[in-house]
Amino acid sequence: MSFTNPLVYGVPCFLALILLELSYSKHHKEKKDLYKWKDLVASLTMGIGSTIIAPLTKTIAAIVLFEYVYEVFNPEINGVRTNIMGWESFGYAWYIWLLCQLADDFSYYWFHRQNHNIRFLWAAHIVHHSSENFNLGTAVRNGWFTIFYKPFFYMWIPAIGFPPEMLVVCLGIEALWQFQLHSVFIPKMGIIEKVFNTHTMHQVHHAQNIEYMDKNHGGFLNIFDKLFGTWKELDENIDIKYGVTKAPNSYNPLIILTHEYKDIWNDMKKSKNWYHKFMYAFGAPGWSHDGSTLTIKQQQNLYK
């Protein structure tokens, strides 16, 4: 059975919604600076680049990686797909779709959280956080390198018996939800906030206020943030400052895409100790062998 990735229809909608929000903001005095032209052009350029690269890597992920894993762990036995653990591989019932989407959200949480916890991954993900603006344009400001390792966080899903094409559709739904979260025009939504990752929660995630940093990594649910201690509600009395503490200070897409890798290399040269070099590359962002810079957890402990 084959399905169409929802992003095929989503991309034109993304552009239309960006134009709508841009027009709306320019006619409201308090939000007239929501978009900055150079920043928007940089975001769109990186978004276009990831749109070109993504189909190539997703083809590899879906057809090669996910399909390979599915075939290895779910061989046909007497004409029936059977997982190596003994159960029949999953079909396409509605509740299987829901379970696959839940599994996708669990994987997204850990993929996203590790992008913030491992500096080499953060070097790819920082692109998305590098804008000081929070708008739908920022939503498409995606790094080009996360696409290459993201599928590995999801391999276990086809391994336990979910069809690869089902997972690809769920990944598309996840991306659609993530896009629309990047808006300041949607207020808190009452009971919906109990379950779903919402716009105000994602504002927290994009803030560089110390109490907000490394919070709200969820996809469309907030349950995993609450379970694993990374959930934070928006305090409307706090003025949010968006972006990162060490910004690229450039609208050049190539600099935005690569500046953190350059910083990693420069930090690795600070010490001849190989453990220190490893930690500068794969430890938490901000780690230093001499305490000259601090991780987010260290800063938050001082803040308390």
Side-chain angles (χ1 to χ4, degrees):
M1 188 176 294
S2 61
F3 301 94
T4 301
N5 191 322
L7 288 179
V8 171
Y9 308 106
V11 171
C13 294
F14 292 172
L15 295 175
L17 288 171
I18 289 170
L19 289 173
L20 179 63
E21 185 183 56
L22 173 61
S23 301
Y24 183 82
S25 66
K26 294 303 180 184
H27 288 85
H28 285 74
K29 189 175 182 179
E30 67 277 8
K31 297 294 183 184
K32 66 178 181 179
D33 294 326
L34 184 66
Y35 280 84
K36 294 180 180 177
W37 291 111
K38 289 183 178 180
D39 184 77
L40 177 59
V41 170
S43 295
L44 290 175
T45 301
M46 287 178 282
I48 291 169
S50 63
T51 300
I52 294 171
I53 296 170
L56 301 176
T57 55
K58 285 180 179 177
T59 297
I60 295 171
I63 296 178
V64 180
L65 183 60
F66 292 164
E67 190 67 38
Y68 176 77
V69 170
Y70 183 70
E71 293 284 344
V72 168
F73 288 88
N74 300 271
E76 281 195 25
I77 301 176
N78 298 323
V80 178
R81 286 280 179 192
T82 305
N83 192 269
I84 60 172
M85 298 301 291
W87 58 76
E88 187 175 326
S89 304
F90 307 128
Y92 298 94
W94 65 268
Y95 56 88
I96 299 298
W97 280 96
L98 292 180
L99 289 173
C100 188
Q101 195 70 65
L102 181 63
D104 166 272
D105 205 59
F106 178 77
S107 292
Y108 180 85
Y109 171 82
W110 286 107
F111 158 74
H112 197 179
R113 182 169 176 175
Q114 295 314 309
N115 276 334
H116 285 255
N117 290 343
I118 299 172
R119 192 179 180 191
F120 192 75
L121 303 187
W122 172 242
H125 184 61
I126 193 175
V127 173
H128 182 63
H129 285 265
S130 60
S131 175
E132 294 181 354
N133 303 107
F134 184 80
N135 52 48
L136 293 178
T138 302
V140 300
R141 189 188 185 98
N142 295 316
W144 295 356
F145 307 121
T146 57
I147 302 169
F148 294 103
Y149 60 82
K150 182 177 180 178
F152 294 101
F153 284 84
Y154 295 79
M155 288 171 55
W156 68 276
I157 299 177
I160 64 173
F162 288 99
E165 60 271 22
M166 179 182 286
L167 174 56
V168 171
V169 172
C170 290
L171 282 164
I173 294 171
E174 162 209 298
L176 292 175
W177 184 267
Q178 280 290 306
F179 169 81
Q180 59 86 37
L181 288 179
H182 296 77
S183 178
V184 296
F185 292 114
I186 309 298
K188 290 185 178 181
M189 296 185 286
I191 195 170
I192 293 176
E193 305 267 334
K194 301 293 184 182
V195 177
F196 292 98
N197 185 24
T198 64
H199 308 78
T200 55
M201 293 176 197
H202 207 59
Q203 289 175 45
V204 167
H205 180 70
H206 272 260
Q208 59 170 292
N209 306 59
I210 187 61
E211 65 269 38
Y212 283 165
M213 295 175 76
D214 284 359
K215 302 296 183 183
N216 300 351
H217 301 295
F220 64 92
L221 299 175
N222 60 42
I223 185 173
F224 300 117
D225 281 298
K226 291 179 176 178
L227 282 174
F228 299 114
T230 53
W231 184 75
K232 183 77 172 179
E233 185 178 9
L234 176 71
D235 185 341
E236 294 172 323
N237 295 316
I238 295 176
D239 291 328
I240 292 181
K241 184 177 182 182
Y242 297 109
V244 291
T245 54
K246 196 173 182 182
N249 295 319
S250 173
Y251 295 114
N252 184 326
L254 292 179
I255 293 176
I256 296 171
L257 286 164
T258 61
H259 75 279
E260 183 66 12
Y261 294 106
K262 181 180 178 181
D263 289 345
I264 289 174
W265 177 248
N266 289 334
D267 285 342
M268 289 176 70
K269 292 188 290 185
K270 291 179 179 179
S271 172
K272 294 182 179 180
N273 184 297
W274 282 99
Y275 173 74
H276 294 165
K277 292 180 184 294
F278 176 85
M279 289 299 293
Y280 275 121
F282 298 102
W287 184 91
S288 62
H289 73 285
D290 56 4
S292 57
T293 57
L294 302 176
T295 67
I296 299 303
K297 284 186 178 180
Q298 289 171 332
Q299 293 179 56
Q300 290 173 338
N301 287 335
L302 289 175
Y303 178 80
K304 291 177 182 179

